[in-house]
Amino acid sequence: MTYNNFLKFLTKIIIYILVAGGAFIMILPFAWMIMTSLKTDGEVNSWPPTWTSKNFLSERELNVEVTPSTISTRGTLNLSEFRSLSNNKRFDENKIVYYINDDAVRRGTISLNYDDIDYASKEDLQIIYDEIDEIKKDFDLTPTLKGILEYEEKSVESFEKIYFKLYSKTDGYFKKTSIGNSIKSDINSAIRFIDNMINNNINRLPYLRTSENTPASQKEYIENRKDYLINYLNSLKNELESMKNFFDENSRGIGIIKQDEASLFLNKLNDYLSMVEIFDEDDILYRANSLIMNNLQEPFALNFNSLKTFDRITSSFNKIQKNNIDKLSISFKVPTTQMMYENFIEALENSDFNPQLKELVLNLVEESNIESLKDLVTTEIENEMIDQISNNLADESSEVSIYGNILRNLSENEGNLENYKYILSLNNAQFLENQLPEKKEELERILGMRKSYDHFINEFSSFYSDSTSEAKIIEKNQYVDKILYKENSKIEIYLNGIISSWLLDENPASNAEFSFSEVFKNIFQNYVTAWNAAPFSQYYINTVLMATTTTVFEIIIASMAAFAFAKLNFWGKNLIFTIFLATMMVPGEVLLVPNYITISRFQWLDSYYALIVPWIVSVFAIFLLRQQFMTVPNDLWDAAKIDGSSSWRFLWTVMVPLSRPAILTGALLKFVGSWNAFLWVLIVTKSPEMRTLAVGLQTFRSESGEIYNLLMAASTFSMIPIVIIFIFLQRYFVEGIAKSGLKG
């Protein structure tokens, strides 16, 4: 190989590498977008970012935490959930609740594995309450801790409330960091007190001041006591600084403090408190006792008592659990839509609901809508109430909402037509008073319906939640009765023969297993969630309609205008074409306001006219096609005229077919531009039924930030049609750009 050939070969290799590298860099953002669309919520917010996702795994570990059984888990509430909130707070002493403090698990098999469970009888809980009572007698406690240890009755429910206020990993009183910060705060306050006392206040104390009239012996004695106090305070300060270093090092970490750590803290505080001296025998310094007690002893004594309380309650709780279950394993199948539907139908048929309301629910329920059935039932009932009001009470449409508010307020507050004045607002009470003489009978009937419906909605919401969330238990023993799995993150285990109190300190290892089909569903779960988060089917229809219509009209209009500028001769042709080109210099944003005013005057806002009409003419498309038409020989035009062809026929039978690449290029550019249109659509549309995909993506943006995985999923299925179109038309696109004389 000669040197020149080698140089050419090397140049070719470098060019290939640069092209491949450029292609890789161009593809990288799209690959990252698709990968992000497959990630879970937790992975999107984790650092450092990764190119993988746990959704690809057939098994993954779960972080489960015990949670109060009468408090709803994270998330917002819809109307039916809000109304049933009180019912969801029913306490069951045999129910233990775990929250998956991890990404939601929507399918698969979940396992909970306990190494061993220590427990006692329900009666043994009395020992804990006796210990709490003794603690309140023996110790001075902080107001917060004293309030936590107060209870109305010695019940399982009261103990659960006390337990979580003390031992919750998120905000429990015995959190390691909370105790450490409290002690460090007291240390800093004590050091500031000592410095201020020594440097500023010690000479201001009346019992340590002397004057010229003070006898020399008395003055010497007072100075001696002052020096003693200063030395004493300095020794305390040294100990406090040593304590500060100790607690800085040992109070780090998360979760509840451990007993061995509490012992270290107690020993350190005890050493300090033993140094605090009370001057009961000193005829001068005894007056400083209140200052020393308030600033240097009592705060540390309260923290000491808090730690002693922790030690005594924890020890008592562990000591009385003398029974043991060795290695308990629980496995259950996450309810599928089919399981939810079958469980619900079976439970509904065996329920004692009003037959009429039961029939209403049966007419609404389907396997496909089982997850949204609560909202459907609530909506159906509300619509029935509106119909009753409209047909029997309201004389005008404006009165429907007034009657609705009146009936709802009376129902929620157990009111009637006798005591309504004490419940309703002044305006509503006056309105009802005017209507009572003529419509009292109908009002009583419909108010009864309102109360009956509200009672049903509350009962049904709880019934629905329990029946649809019952899981199929795969592995259990005699201690487990049933398992409910709610909100894709909440596990409720109902026990046999054991109260939940004894499992509050248990931390089972948990994992989820998925079959191949479930892994596939996990991978594309974000796409399903994103699609259902907004009416994307309607967004797709609107986008396709707008993009297709504007593209077709633009090509028709641009073809006619381009033909006129390219082949016809008329006065001012070049001047008019120059003016056309000049309009391309005007930024599109400048036209937003005048276009909006025009559309508003035509009363086209929130309609397809507003989305389509302003964008069916494009100067760029006219320019693009005019350049292409000019390449067609005039001889063809002359021959066509000799054969008797009209300009219209020549345009569509000769010019357009010969210019197909340029026309497809203009059509593709227009289609992509209309498909991605955002600002104009956002301005002229109000209802979701008229919006397009680009605006629909705003569903995943809020003041608190973006939901990136759902946003990327929605972006991916929004851009798929554009990618497909470009793949099939790219040859014509390149050819059209080349033949039209445009250069990048």
Side-chain angles (χ1 to χ4, degrees):
M1 180 182 291
T2 65
Y3 176 76
N4 289 336
N5 290 337
F6 174 76
L7 191 61
K8 290 180 181 179
F9 175 77
L10 183 61
T11 303
K12 186 184 296 185
I13 293 296
I14 293 174
I15 291 174
Y16 283 147
I17 292 174
L18 292 176
V19 171
F24 177 78
I25 293 173
M26 292 293 291
I27 292 174
L28 196 61
F30 296 100
W32 182 253
M33 180 185 75
I34 294 174
M35 193 63 240
T36 302
S37 72
L38 304 177
K39 291 184 177 181
T40 64
D41 295 340
E43 290 173 325
V44 170
N45 298 317
S46 64
W47 186 263
T50 63
W51 280 92
T52 59
S53 171
K54 62 178 69 173
N55 280 333
F56 292 96
L57 301 177
S58 60
E59 181 178 356
R60 59 186 173 99
E61 295 182 356
L62 303 177
N63 177 25
V64 298
E65 297 178 356
V66 66
T67 188
S69 61
T70 55
I71 297 178
S72 178
T73 57
R74 289 81 164 168
T76 56
L77 301 175
N78 58 29
L79 175 62
S80 58
E81 289 171 333
F82 176 77
R83 286 185 163 187
S84 65
L85 186 59
S86 60
N87 288 335
N88 289 335
K89 289 189 174 183
R90 294 174 302 176
F91 182 80
D92 189 323
E93 65 183 27
N94 297 113
K95 179 176 72 174
I96 185 73
V97 180
Y98 293 99
Y99 179 78
I100 300 178
N101 192 18
D102 205 331
D103 293 305
V105 179
R106 294 178 171 85
R107 56 189 61 85
T109 302
I110 296 178
S111 300
L112 299 172
N113 300 299
Y114 303 82
D115 285 338
D116 63 276
I117 297 176
D118 296 323
Y119 69 98
S121 66
K122 180 179 178 180
E123 291 72 23
D124 289 332
L125 205 59
Q126 178 67 37
I127 299 174
I128 304 291
Y129 280 109
D130 293 341
E131 185 68 31
I132 290 174
D133 292 338
E134 289 296 322
I135 288 171
K136 290 190 286 188
K137 291 179 183 178
D138 295 344
F139 298 139
D140 288 330
L141 304 175
T142 64
T144 301
L145 183 55
K146 189 181 296 184
I148 291 173
L149 297 180
E150 294 295 333
Y151 54 85
E152 295 181 0
E153 57 179 350
K154 296 181 178 181
S155 64
V156 177
E157 183 176 6
S158 296
F159 177 77
E160 182 182 283
K161 293 178 181 178
I162 293 173
Y163 184 91
F164 279 103
K165 289 178 181 178
L166 294 177
Y167 294 95
S168 171
K169 293 181 179 180
T170 55
D171 56 0
Y173 187 86
F174 291 139
K175 274 187 66 176
K176 185 178 180 180
T177 53
S178 299
I179 292 176
N181 290 337
S182 176
I183 295 173
K184 288 188 287 185
S185 175
D186 291 340
I187 290 173
N188 291 330
S189 297
I191 291 174
R192 285 195 300 271
F193 168 79
I194 291 174
D195 289 338
N196 196 40
M197 173 69 79
I198 294 174
N199 298 326
N200 301 315
N201 295 333
I202 197 165
N203 292 319
R204 298 176 183 175
L205 297 175
Y207 46 85
L208 293 179
R209 283 188 298 188
T210 59
S211 64
E212 295 179 356
N213 298 326
T214 304
S217 59
Q218 181 69 14
K219 184 182 295 186
E220 182 181 356
Y221 181 71
I222 291 174
E223 290 295 328
N224 178 267
R225 303 318 297 155
K226 184 191 297 184
D227 291 340
Y228 179 84
L229 179 60
I230 291 173
N231 291 333
Y232 166 69
L233 292 176
N234 279 325
S235 66
L236 288 182
K237 181 180 177 181
N238 292 335
E239 179 63 21
L240 287 168
E241 289 176 343
S242 173
M243 287 174 60
K244 183 178 180 181
N245 294 331
F246 171 83
F247 285 104
D248 280 339
E249 294 177 1
N250 292 278
S251 63
R252 298 169 185 166
I254 59 176
I256 300 300
I257 192 170
K258 298 177 182 177
Q259 280 194 284
D260 56 345
E261 295 170 333
S263 297
L264 287 175
F265 286 14
L266 283 169
N267 292 335
K268 200 67 178 177
L269 289 173
N270 188 58
D271 292 342
Y272 168 77
L273 290 171
S274 64
M275 292 180 60
V276 179
E277 184 178 352
I278 306 301
F279 303 104
D280 291 334
E281 306 297 329
D282 194 300
D283 58 344
I284 292 180
L285 295 184
Y286 78 92
R287 300 178 184 179
N289 283 345
S290 61
L291 286 174
I292 294 172
M293 291 283 291
N294 293 336
N295 295 280
L296 301 179
Q297 185 193 54
E298 287 184 0
F300 298 95
L302 290 174
N303 277 310
F304 182 86
N305 292 341
S306 294
L307 288 168
K308 289 293 291 182
T309 299
F310 165 79
D311 185 62
R312 287 178 58 171
I313 292 178
T314 304
S315 298
S316 178
F317 183 75
N318 294 331
K319 185 177 180 181
I320 62 176
Q321 298 182 61
K322 298 179 180 179
N323 300 319
N324 180 267
I325 303 173
D326 185 37
K327 294 186 177 181
L328 174 64
S329 295
I330 303 172
S331 297
F332 64 91
K333 191 75 174 176
V334 174
T336 62
T337 302
Q338 181 181 356
M339 292 168 57
M340 294 169 66
Y341 176 76
E342 293 173 352
N343 290 340
F344 176 79
I345 292 297
E346 181 181 355
L348 184 63
E349 291 175 347
N350 297 326
S351 69
D352 56 357
F353 286 129
N354 181 296
Q356 181 181 358
L357 294 174
K358 188 187 295 187
E359 185 67 23
L360 180 148
V361 175
L362 286 172
N363 290 334
L364 288 174
V365 65
E366 296 176 3
E367 184 175 332
S368 60
N369 66 15
I370 186 65
E371 295 185 23
S372 59
L373 181 62
K374 266 198 304 187
D375 293 333
L376 293 176
V377 171
T378 303
T379 301
E380 185 70 17
I381 288 177
E382 293 299 329
N383 290 337
E384 173 64 21
M385 287 303 305
I386 291 174
D387 290 341
Q388 288 288 334
I389 293 171
S390 300
N391 297 332
N392 299 285
L393 293 176
D395 297 325
E396 300 177 4
S397 59
S398 59
E399 293 180 352
V400 174
S401 61
I402 299 176
Y403 277 115
N405 290 331
I406 290 173
L407 294 171
R408 187 175 293 108
N409 287 334
L410 291 177
S411 175
E412 291 175 352
N413 294 281
E414 299 296 328
N416 53 51
L417 298 183
E418 305 297 331
N419 64 356
Y420 67 89
K421 292 183 179 180
Y422 304 102
I423 298 173
L424 302 177
S425 66
L426 183 62
N427 290 337
N428 284 348
Q430 184 63 47
F431 175 84
L432 184 58
E433 184 177 3
N434 294 335
Q435 304 298 322
L436 274 177
E438 299 179 0
K439 302 177 180 179
K440 183 174 182 179
E441 185 176 341
E442 285 297 324
L443 277 166
E444 287 181 342
R445 182 181 68 84
I446 297 177
L447 177 58
M449 289 180 60
R450 176 80 268 178
K451 291 182 177 180
S452 175
Y453 283 162
D454 285 348
H455 176 73
F456 170 74
I457 289 174
N458 289 334
E459 291 295 324
F460 175 77
S461 186
S462 178
F463 167 83
Y464 167 85
S465 178
D466 289 347
S467 61
T468 56
S469 60
E470 185 166 356
K472 180 182 178 181
I473 302 177
I474 299 174
E475 182 180 0
K476 68 171 185 176
N477 62 16
Q478 69 271 24
Y479 297 103
V480 177
D481 180 26
K482 66 176 180 178
I483 298 175
L484 303 183
Y485 185 67
K486 300 179 178 180
E487 303 165 18
N488 296 321
S489 58
K490 185 179 178 183
I491 305 170
E492 298 182 359
I493 302 176
Y494 290 80
L495 305 167
N496 282 324
I498 303 177
I499 61 173
S500 60
S501 304
W502 310 123
L503 271 71
L504 295 177
D505 62 336
E506 301 292 342
N507 294 306
S510 181
N511 68 291
E513 297 179 357
F514 309 99
S515 65
F516 177 80
S517 62
E518 289 169 341
V519 171
F520 182 82
K521 292 177 181 178
N522 285 341
I523 292 173
F524 294 100
Q525 178 62 47
N526 288 335
Y527 289 84
V528 177
T529 304
W531 184 267
N532 294 327
F536 273 98
S537 57
Q538 185 63 45
Y539 294 162
Y540 249 106
I541 293 172
N542 294 341
T543 306
V544 171
L545 178 63
M546 182 184 74
T548 303
T549 306
T550 54
T551 301
V552 170
F553 276 101
E554 180 188 276
I555 294 303
I556 293 173
I557 295 172
S559 297
M560 292 188 293
F563 179 76
F565 285 122
K567 298 301 180 183
L568 300 182
N569 294 315
F570 54 90
W571 184 87
K573 180 175 73 171
N574 293 332
L575 176 62
I576 295 173
F577 186 67
T578 303
I579 295 173
F580 265 54
L581 293 181
T583 61
M584 295 177 63
M585 304 296 292
V586 180
E589 289 76 7
V590 174
L591 302 176
L592 286 177
V593 173
N595 281 344
Y596 179 84
I597 295 173
T598 304
I599 293 298
S600 178
R601 294 286 174 85
F602 283 131
Q603 297 183 350
W604 285 354
L605 292 177
D606 207 30
S607 70
Y608 288 117
Y609 295 114
L611 298 178
I612 296 171
V613 173
W615 312 112
I616 61 175
V617 176
S618 169
V619 175
F620 175 77
I622 295 173
F623 171 68
L624 182 69
L625 296 185
R626 184 248 190 191
Q627 297 300 104
Q628 171 62 28
F629 287 174
M630 289 181 68
T631 64
V632 177
N634 289 331
D635 294 341
L636 289 177
W637 175 224
D638 294 336
K641 286 191 289 185
I642 293 172
D643 290 338
S645 174
S646 64
S647 301
W648 181 262
R649 183 180 178 186
F650 179 75
L651 169 63
W652 298 112
T653 59
V654 179
M655 296 290 283
V656 169
L658 289 175
S659 306
R660 185 173 62 174
I663 290 175
L664 290 176
T665 298
L668 180 61
L669 292 174
K670 182 61 180 181
F671 191 88
V672 172
S674 297
W675 189 276
N676 295 327
F678 171 74
L679 187 57
W680 176 253
V681 179
L682 181 65
I683 291 173
V684 300
T685 59
K686 298 177 182 178
S687 61
E689 292 77 12
M690 293 305 303
R691 291 190 163 171
T692 59
L693 287 169
V695 178
L697 295 178
Q698 301 305 299
T699 302
F700 310 107
R701 302 182 116 180
S702 63
E703 294 181 358
S704 57
E706 290 81 10
I707 310 175
Y708 285 107
N709 51 344
L710 299 185
L711 179 59
M712 294 300 103
S715 299
T716 300
F717 63 63
S718 296
M719 65 179 285
I720 286 176
I722 297 295
V723 174
I724 294 174
I725 290 173
F726 182 78
I727 289 174
F728 284 102
L729 299 182
Q730 62 173 324
R731 179 168 64 89
Y732 301 105
F733 180 76
V734 174
E735 186 178 348
I737 292 294
K739 287 188 176 182
S740 63
L742 298 178
K743 294 192 296 183

